[in-house]
Amino acid sequence: MELRQLRYFVAIADSGSFTKAAERVYVAQSALSHQLAQLEDELGTPLFDRSRRGVELTEAGQRFFPHAVSILRQAEEALASARSTDEEPEGKVVFGIPHSASNALALPLLREVRQRLPKVTLELTEELTGNLTRQLRTGQIQLAVLFEDGQLGGFSVTRVLSEQLHLIEPEDASPTPAKGRPPVRPLSLRQALSRPLILPASPHGVRPIIEAAAATAGLPPPRVEADISSISILRTTLLAGMGRTLLPVMPLLPEIQAGLLRATPVTRLDRTLAVCSSAHIPRSPACQAVAELAVALMQRLSSSGEWSGSRPLTAAKAHD
């Protein structure tokens, strides 16, 4: 098995066509087909189903794909590490951010890396937390912001900040007009869970955290009336008056500040955000530099109040 075979395989999978893949990797289509045939022969199984419409990964190909991507990325990292210095790291870093943290972190992080690490290419990917966890384990991405929910074994974890969860609902869900309402009083966990909720599908986002908090408090699990894992769809649903959710305020801050949504803090219900990497794959100098920069940036955004509803934690490695 050769790196070029893996590179050709990934190009075909991404392109869905031998012709387009050959153009992408600058080889003749016959050479591409020959190398893929050798790879399939070595693996003892076909990786693609071929039809007039193009090519699609077989089940074996789908299982093989993330490993091929991981191997290629680690090879690129090894090369970049050899060329880097501690003073001037270089290379590509793929950083995963959950949907509910993207609004707070994505743009500031991109700006910070461009300014402070000019030779580092940062690729940001926004995914559900369950997908980020899987991609981090397989090496498809090098860094990710994850929530500490008891499922971070096998990762190098640096706790960075804590966000309080709020009951977020349409502004007109309360019978009292907004101007005549007293200051918002926090809800207990029992009060928050007594309402039907819209939450991400398990095991994504805040769902495991809320379920664990309910179990610890001896309360029934949340009454979920709809599973919605997309922040944009959730926003549309709440604005249409079709339910309420439990989330930090940051993902829906513009709507809350505009008076379209109402956020009530829930006592003893928060989530811890951590910058994570695989404990089994060495960090390149570029990866290490981006990780340190992200931790400092997140704490600064929290301390300044720009990351609304959060408080910074003492950044320290939790476990590997």
Side-chain angles (χ1 to χ4, degrees):
M1 187 181 305
E2 301 177 7
L3 286 178
R4 67 172 173 173
Q5 293 174 335
L6 299 182
R7 194 173 297 113
Y8 294 170
F9 163 72
V10 170
I12 298 168
D14 286 343
S15 303
S17 161
F18 278 76
T19 302
K20 292 179 180 177
E23 294 173 353
R24 175 174 165 177
V25 295
Y26 305 105
V27 298
Q29 186 173 333
S30 58
L32 187 83
S33 299
H34 176 70
Q35 290 297 326
L36 178 66
Q38 286 190 327
L39 179 61
E40 290 179 322
D41 184 62
E42 182 175 351
L43 295 174
T45 184
L47 297 173
F48 293 100
D49 287 323
R50 297 156 175 85
S51 69
R52 291 181 179 179
R53 294 176 298 176
V55 294
E56 295 181 351
L57 288 168
T58 61
E59 289 187 12
Q62 292 174 9
R63 292 192 298 269
F64 186 67
F65 182 78
H67 297 286
V69 172
S70 173
I71 292 168
L72 290 173
R73 286 210 167 133
Q74 289 182 57
E76 291 175 1
E77 273 198 68
L79 183 61
S81 294
R83 293 173 174 172
S84 292
T85 65
D86 291 338
E87 293 77 20
E88 199 169 21
E90 66 177 273
K92 182 176 181 178
V93 177
V94 186
F95 195 116
I97 304 177
H99 294 295
S100 60
S102 177
N103 186 39
L105 181 60
L107 186 56
L109 181 60
L110 183 60
R111 286 173 172 162
E112 197 86 352
V113 170
R114 284 188 176 182
Q115 179 180 355
R116 298 181 179 274
L117 303 170
K119 290 191 175 182
V120 173
T121 301
L122 180 66
E123 178 182 331
L124 295 178
T125 179
E126 184 182 30
E127 290 275 1
L128 298 173
T129 51
N131 296 341
L132 290 177
T133 300
R134 183 175 62 254
Q135 292 172 10
L136 198 59
R137 290 194 194 283
T138 59
Q140 291 177 266
I141 61 178
Q142 293 124 305
L143 294 169
V145 171
L146 298 176
F147 310 131
E148 192 164 37
D149 57 3
Q151 305 298 317
L152 299 184
F155 294 139
S156 176
V157 179
T158 303
R159 298 184 183 95
V160 184
L161 58 84
S162 174
E163 289 183 300
Q164 185 173 19
L165 270 60
H166 290 63
L167 182 73
I168 302 177
E169 55 192 339
E171 182 59 49
D172 60 4
S174 172
T176 306
K179 292 183 180 179
R181 289 182 197 148
V184 176
R185 293 183 179 179
L187 294 171
S188 68
L189 181 60
R190 181 184 297 274
Q191 289 173 315
L193 294 180
S194 69
R195 296 157 166 82
L197 298 168
I198 300 172
L199 293 176
S202 186
H204 301 296
V206 297
R207 184 73 168 266
I209 296 169
I210 295 169
E211 291 174 346
T216 300
L219 298 172
R223 291 192 293 143
V224 180
E225 60 180 352
D227 293 322
I228 298 180
S229 300
S230 163
I231 291 294
S232 61
I233 297 176
L234 176 61
R235 178 184 294 108
T236 302
T237 304
L238 295 179
L239 292 175
M242 296 179 62
R244 54 181 59 83
T245 190
L246 287 172
L247 267 184
V249 296
M250 200 63 192
L252 299 167
L253 188 61
E255 291 75 20
I256 294 169
Q257 291 178 334
L260 301 174
L261 297 176
R262 179 179 176 86
T264 307
V266 180
T267 58
R268 298 183 180 180
L269 186 61
D270 54 28
R271 69 179 184 183
T272 297
L273 280 69
V275 173
C276 303
S277 63
S278 171
H280 311 294
I281 301 174
R283 287 184 181 182
S284 67
C287 183
Q288 181 64 30
V290 170
E292 292 173 357
L293 188 151
V295 169
L297 173 63
M298 291 170 67
Q299 289 191 319
R300 189 167 73 246
L301 292 172
S302 181
S303 298
S304 68
E306 294 175 78
W307 195 312
S308 185
S310 71
R311 62 181 180 87
L313 303 175
T314 302
K317 273 195 176 182
H319 54 75
D320 291 340

